[in-house]
Amino acid sequence: MCTASNYITKDHYFGRNFDYEISYNERVTITPRNYKFEYRLIDDIESHYAIIGVAAGVDGYPLYYDACNEKGLSIAGLNFEGNAVYLEEKEGMVNVTPFEFIPYILGTYSNVSEVKKALENINLVNINFSEELPLSPLHWMISDDTGAIVVEPLKDGLKVYDNPVGVLTNNPPFDKQLFTLNDYRSLSNRNPENTFSKDFDLDEYSRGMGAIGLPGDLSSSSRFAKVAFTRANSFSSDGEEESVSQFFHILGSVEQQNGCTFINDPDLYEYTIYTSCYNTNKAVLYYRTYSNSQITAVKLMSEDLDSAELINYRLETEEQIAYIN
Amino acid sequence: MCTASNYITKDHYFGRNFDYEISYNERVTITPRNYKFEYRLIDDIESHYAIIGVAAGVDGYPLYYDACNEKGLSIAGLNFEGNAVYLEEKEGMVNVTPFEFIPYILGTYSNVSEVKKALENINLVNINFSEELPLSPLHWMISDDTGAIVVEPLKDGLKVYDNPVGVLTNNPPFDKQLFTLNDYRSLSNRNPENTFSKDFDLDEYSRGMGAIGLPGDLSSSSRFAKVAFTRANSFSSDGEEESVSQFFHILGSVEQQNGCTFINDPDLYEYTIYTSCYNTNKAVLYYRTYSNSQITAVKLMSEDLDSAELINYRLETEEQIAYIN
Amino acid sequence: MCTASNYITKDHYFGRNFDYEISYNERVTITPRNYKFEYRLIDDIESHYAIIGVAAGVDGYPLYYDACNEKGLSIAGLNFEGNAVYLEEKEGMVNVTPFEFIPYILGTYSNVSEVKKALENINLVNINFSEELPLSPLHWMISDDTGAIVVEPLKDGLKVYDNPVGVLTNNPPFDKQLFTLNDYRSLSNRNPENTFSKDFDLDEYSRGMGAIGLPGDLSSSSRFAKVAFTRANSFSSDGEEESVSQFFHILGSVEQQNGCTFINDPDLYEYTIYTSCYNTNKAVLYYRTYSNSQITAVKLMSEDLDSAELINYRLETEEQIAYIN
Amino acid sequence: MCTASNYITKDHYFGRNFDYEISYNERVTITPRNYKFEYRLIDDIESHYAIIGVAAGVDGYPLYYDACNEKGLSIAGLNFEGNAVYLEEKEGMVNVTPFEFIPYILGTYSNVSEVKKALENINLVNINFSEELPLSPLHWMISDDTGAIVVEPLKDGLKVYDNPVGVLTNNPPFDKQLFTLNDYRSLSNRNPENTFSKDFDLDEYSRGMGAIGLPGDLSSSSRFAKVAFTRANSFSSDGEEESVSQFFHILGSVEQQNGCTFINDPDLYEYTIYTSCYNTNKAVLYYRTYSNSQITAVKLMSEDLDSAELINYRLETEEQIAYIN
């Protein structure tokens, strides 16, 4: 399914693996400040913060998968099948649809603290983008340089959790995921003492034995534990390139290799279609695709942010190999 | 420590993760056919197959970590500490040192079958390259498009194993590693039936649950299982770029992220310094470094292979980001 | 901590491991029908169903750990530290204390269905038995031959779950425990096919490989999975002795061996102080203690059940060895 | 299959779980000193140490599964299918058959040290007891109060290992089993510190979390790890009853519950048919059977050990319940 993470060095980085079996022509979409957002149930918004992110290849509206705004606030929506519940319109609430949620949050708010307050009043209503594009069951991680939260639409309304571990995958709900980490409390990046028995020696035959027990399969629970450990133990210097590089290595630890998660015959597998990494302080989107290992970058600030038209760049999916001779 | 793998589509691909805490200025080194190999105990060899590979940054001699020759034969040496034993010179045997082993094999033989026969007569003698460069304890994976073998220098001489799984890491010896895979026989890229109980339902809450039990830590045993599963279930089309891309994804599944394997204070960790991928049929070396996600390529056939001088290219370690705007 | 299970052959069996580091002189206590139950907040009850169970060694009141009544209804209280919350008295509710809960339920109701209905109106109030005997944080499994439920006192009141797996341990709350079983869905009592790879064989070197992945430590989560698997795959004929024997084998699978769960120096460990097994249809209590492997039995129906006085039998803790010669 | 263990308090205890799907009417068999042992290839032995053990229900010859002699030396044979190799007769060696091995060792030697020396000269020849009773593939654990060894008949002869962990199960060979324990080196009977991350807390929600990672399935590898941990952390006082009780708890940790290891339809499962426990210093055999939880004892020293006739006691398989009222 998907994995999101943040990472903080000098700047705040945020991004995600987008794991799925088919691509909807995802592309980088920039929403300038004066693109008019028409909402289904609330008033349209003429002017707002500028946004950069990865969106589905649907013209005329930015169906963001993940994005950040010019204020440094970032968000990603991740599959939450079987748990996400969208409700009927409720009077007295800000009724936005799930597909409007990212534009609404990033267009309106500048940090996580503002978002937490606003969420008390938001209701996610069960309205499709179109008959062809029904709603996905989602939950969201929202992050800035002060921390992160998780938003889950459950039967009894939006549930908001602080996210101390800085990662999110899919099912089960976040509180269950977090609880499961307790079982890994003894894992470490250091080789452990022999505490099995004081009566006989055991061989320290490899480095890295301190994390034995960490799962390596690609289910959502296992990716949660693996990426949480990798992020928690991650080390890099704090320069831009080192930080971005390390961020891709963190999410690389739970990449879905094509073939390893079977969906359908013939030969349909879930794999990591793209990985995004936002420097949210500078509003730069870095990304890689499964078939192009090189990092590509798009800068929000390089565009005319006061315009009213969406700007799109297709994702680079062709392998860019540097031939030396 | 390290992980090697092969992968076969239309061509045969071979390569490795080189995991360590410090770099010895590894570089791509090409040994043309007439570079004179001086051996410590056997006759010098004036003319031989041309070789391309990654070698330590030591001038005048190609101290290969991994390499392939113009005939499509490839090899990698991997750490085998505590198990590797190099012996005294033995009469009647071909006495080569461990650091001469890769040049000798790739210079002399064109395929795995020839190598297997030759190994019956080879003795690895305990002679350093220099006082500053003592021998590393190693075992080797040797691979071509017909299959792969593992060579282990044990107390009682060289042990040669066929390698049906096409991967190698470090300790324990290969037969023990292979045996451990039996415990993972039920893992699959498909979600499993509920066989726990016929009396109650269990929820299939995520894709990828068929491989629950696969380890995700970075010890040599766990990397062996994880990369063997990833390789065995790998799917790609058979074009050059798709194959190379998939190969890097296979080895990416056991990459060592900086910070996750502690070595020494302050902040010394083992990490994947580089990943190599040889198309051995075309004698092209592709590689990535930890700090440069883009694939770089060097072609053996683009050089003057009849020369007598080593050719070196430093590894690209600077992140090559493609800025779009 | 503790493990409870039920088991159904011709009759319904229920019981538990009582795991702790010190014994409070537990004993078998029979409460006849006319023992007067004085309640703290509700009216006293003069006449009720007769009860047999294991209770703390406190005179004058049956502080049951687990028990069953003459109607075939059985219950056990298990440690639920950090999660159990007892509330203030609530008007309009049946306000009983946690230590009154087992007597109240077993004295008043004849089956699980009645209990479920009654629980809608029960409030567990935060009142100690005495200053010396403060309340334990508990949750309860209640079982009869139609099925079982789990009752958990949480912050927002009593939570009642149907229990399809027929077992209970301790933390985390039951819904989280149950969810974790999903990760074991592929486990089986049959040796699995090799689905790891179609390209190489793997050895079926042992029987019992189908349950590889089942945890064997003594934490509450791991005991939950282990005993659920053992119970779900359990086989016995349906005679009384075979059923009782098999029941002790089921709970034996998660027994706590002395020394394996450290509590305090010097030499204080948690261990399975006793195991109880009720044939609830016949109201017979079978038990074993850690130091006496022989099964001891006490029959409710052998006593004068119309009396008003508690009847106590100390637990047999001396090893009863049958010497043959 | 089977599990053997030793345990030392004031005396030396040794025994095993015998796991199989059908019973061959195992019984306690005492071989007095003057029972004449007729050997197939070596000279008959008229007089020897007296032996007590559990043997197959075959008249006229003690086909021991496990036994101890009057000198305190004990031995058990455990299934070793696919690995055990019995050879042709070899000149200059003591050629005994596998079914003669236990009588020969226990009849002739008084301690492990003597046995180790003798094994240098023993050859296990491939001769059946009878056409109806072909040889079982076996390996053996031999133990006294100075320590234990494992004897494995491999292709290239008998392999003898010191056994520092004091347990044995079945496949794979002992050196591989022992190696696997390295992966459990961090397990402990104490709750672990949170070393997963220094940036967030993790909950210590249960006792016993220090051994998370210990396997709980019934395959031979998993039983090896589980029983090795239980034995290594075992605590009891050193009296006879406490020691015997604790010994049964140790082997109880890897008991095979009926139903959990499927063999054949309908309803054929492997289970722990009996568990034996020898106080080898006093030559007392204690045992339990699957269907009789009480411990039964037979004393070697209570018999006339100078006789020439085998003495047999059938195993008690009927549940001995102590009814209190």
Side-chain angles (χ1 to χ4, degrees), chain C residues 13 19 51 118 134 146 153 160 162 197 204 222 246 280 284 306 314:
Chain C
Y13 299 86
D19 305 335
I51 302 169
T146 68
V160 180
D162 286 325
S197 169
E204 208 175 312
S222 297
Q246 186 67 12
T280 69
V284 180
D306 290 323
R314 68 172 186 81

Side-chain angles (χ1 to χ4, degrees), chain C residues 37-187:
Chain C
F37 274 120
E38 299 180 357
Y39 285 90
R40 299 292 171 101
L41 297 175
I42 62 171
D43 292 344
D44 296 346
I45 295 179
E46 307 269 351
S47 178
H48 46 77
Y49 296 137
I51 302 169
I52 182 170
V54 180
V58 172
D59 286 338
Y61 192 86
L63 287 171
Y64 283 122
Y65 295 2
D66 46 88
C68 102
N69 69 15
E70 56 182 307
K71 293 296 181 183
L73 182 66
S74 54
I75 182 169
L78 286 82
N79 198 288
F80 195 47
E81 200 174 334
N83 284 300
V85 177
Y86 305 127
L87 304 172
E88 297 300 300
E89 185 176 0
K90 272 194 210 164
E91 219 172 327
M93 302 286 279
V94 178
N95 291 286
V96 295
T97 71
F99 70 82
E100 294 165 345
F101 185 62
I102 291 182
Y104 180 76
I105 292 292
L106 294 189
T108 314
Y109 302 104
S110 67
N111 58 46
V112 166
S113 160
E114 285 177 21
V115 174
K116 275 177 84 164
K117 214 163 147 193
L119 285 167
E120 295 170 12
N121 224 31
I122 289 179
N123 180 41
L124 290 180
V125 289
N126 193 6
I127 297 178
N128 289 339
F129 180 75
S130 67
E131 293 221 352
E132 295 72 36
L133 287 172
L135 293 177
S136 299
L138 297 174
H139 57 172
W140 294 268
M141 176 164 160
I142 305 177
S143 185
D144 67 17
D145 50 20
T146 68
I149 59 173
V150 170
V151 181
E152 302 200 322
L154 301 177
K155 257 183 305 187
D156 44 348
L158 288 187
K159 194 107 188 180
V160 180
Y161 302 93
D162 286 325
N163 186 344
V165 298
V167 301
L168 184 66
T169 61
N170 311 103
N171 290 340
F174 185 67
D175 55 338
K176 280 204 176 73
Q177 292 278 31
L178 209 52
F179 187 84
T180 306
L181 282 194
N182 295 318
D183 289 347
Y184 303 112
R185 59 186 288 117
S186 72
L187 304 194

Side-chain angles (χ1 to χ4, degrees), chain A residues 78-98:
Chain A
L78 286 83
N79 198 289
F80 195 46
E81 200 175 333
N83 284 301
V85 176
Y86 305 127
L87 303 172
E88 298 301 300
E89 186 176 358
K90 273 195 208 163
E91 219 172 326
M93 302 286 278
V94 178
N95 291 285
V96 295
T97 71

Side-chain angles (χ1 to χ4, degrees), chain C residues 286-299:
Chain C
Y286 303 90
Y287 70 85
R288 294 196 311 200
T289 56
Y290 194 80
S291 53
N292 180 18
S293 182
Q294 189 186 22
I295 298 170
T296 302
V298 185
K299 299 177 179 178

